[in-house]
Amino acid sequence: MTPEPRSLDDELAEDEDRAPLGLRAALDAITRTAREDDVAVTVDLHGKLVGLELGPRAMELRPVALAECLSRLTAYAAEDALAAGAEVLAVVLEEPVALPVA
């Protein structure tokens, strides 16, 4: 008889019992920052903006150029954060985690 695959919730619950930090806390702690010139954006694992730094040169950009820069940097940082989350899950699941190709 083939064992039934474990759900991610089962893995999370077991991990929280084993380690004080726990998988959920490790994933929640993931942030990534992308920088370009005088602009820096930081996002969490879900791609949500959690930090923004605009230097003097960034404030001189036209609004459209600044918006494009923010959008691009947020996408780069979100991609890095998602990859970091996949690495954490791969360790717990003991197998690679495939990310969707954009």
Side-chain angles (χ1 to χ4, degrees):
M1 179 175 208
T2 305
E4 194 169 318
R6 294 171 48 104
S7 72
L8 182 56
D9 286 336
D10 292 338
E11 294 288 344
L12 289 171
E14 183 177 308
D15 186 67
E16 286 182 0
D17 290 340
R18 282 191 311 235
L21 178 59
L23 177 60
R24 194 162 303 198
L27 292 173
D28 287 345
I30 292 173
T31 61
R32 290 295 182 267
T33 301
R35 298 177 189 280
E36 182 177 295
D37 295 327
D38 246 8
V39 179
V41 299
T42 302
V43 302
D44 65 9
L45 175 64
H46 307 288
K48 181 178 129 191
L49 187 66
V50 296
L52 175 63
E53 297 174 28
L54 300 174
R57 288 189 316 238
M59 299 309 293
E60 294 171 2
L61 293 173
R62 297 179 147 263
V64 170
L66 180 58
E68 288 172 352
C69 180
L70 292 172
S71 179
R72 183 176 54 256
L73 291 177
T74 300
Y76 291 153
E79 187 176 309
D80 287 347
L82 187 59
E87 289 177 18
V88 169
L89 289 175
V91 170
V92 172
L93 300 174
E94 298 177 354
E95 63 183 61
V97 175
L99 295 176
V101 177

